Amino acid sequence: MQASYNLHANELNTNFLESIKNMFGNKNIDIIITEHRDYELDERSQELQIRLDDYKKNGMKNCSLLDEDFWGDTKKRLMDRHQKAG
């Protein structure tokens, strides 16, 4: 199982830690903390907003379906790249 949180350091409290303990039970876990700068969040938010606006305007026109054709094409492309690199 994996969980990802995006929060401000001031939001850390014992309830947050208890929720992690309850979620993972008696398992070993890794906790990785990364500082996010405001501009990084702004860039991600802007990109997501652009994609959402495009979806609202164009529907699935600019989206890739993750169907059998997609996975077959992806597998072939990766295998071709690996063989060329070798």
Side-chain angles (χ1 to χ4, degrees):
M1 178 190 303
Q2 182 177 3
S4 176
Y5 298 92
N6 184 331
L7 50 91
H8 193 276
N10 292 337
E11 296 174 287
L12 294 172
N13 57 36
T14 56
N15 291 335
F16 176 77
L17 294 175
E18 284 299 322
S19 71
I20 292 173
K21 287 169 60 176
N22 290 333
M23 186 183 308
F24 290 95
N26 192 25
K27 298 176 183 170
N28 290 327
I29 62 171
D30 295 321
I31 297 177
I32 300 168
I33 299 173
T34 305
E35 178 184 0
H36 288 277
R37 294 170 188 87
D38 288 339
Y39 70 86
E40 291 173 335
L41 294 174
D42 288 344
E43 287 178 0
R44 283 194 297 177
S45 295
Q46 289 172 1
E47 178 62 29
L48 288 172
Q49 189 62 52
I50 290 168
R51 290 175 185 231
L52 179 60
D53 291 343
D54 180 66
Y55 175 76
K56 287 179 180 178
K57 181 179 178 183
N58 300 308
M60 294 295 291
K61 178 181 174 188
N62 297 319
C63 297
S64 296
L65 293 177
L66 302 182
D67 58 9
E68 289 298 320
D69 291 336
F70 171 85
W71 292 114
D73 292 344
T74 300
K75 179 180 177 182
K76 181 183 180 320
R77 182 176 42 81
L78 292 173
M79 290 182 75
D80 288 347
R81 183 190 314 166
H82 176 71
Q83 290 172 351
K84 288 177 186 176

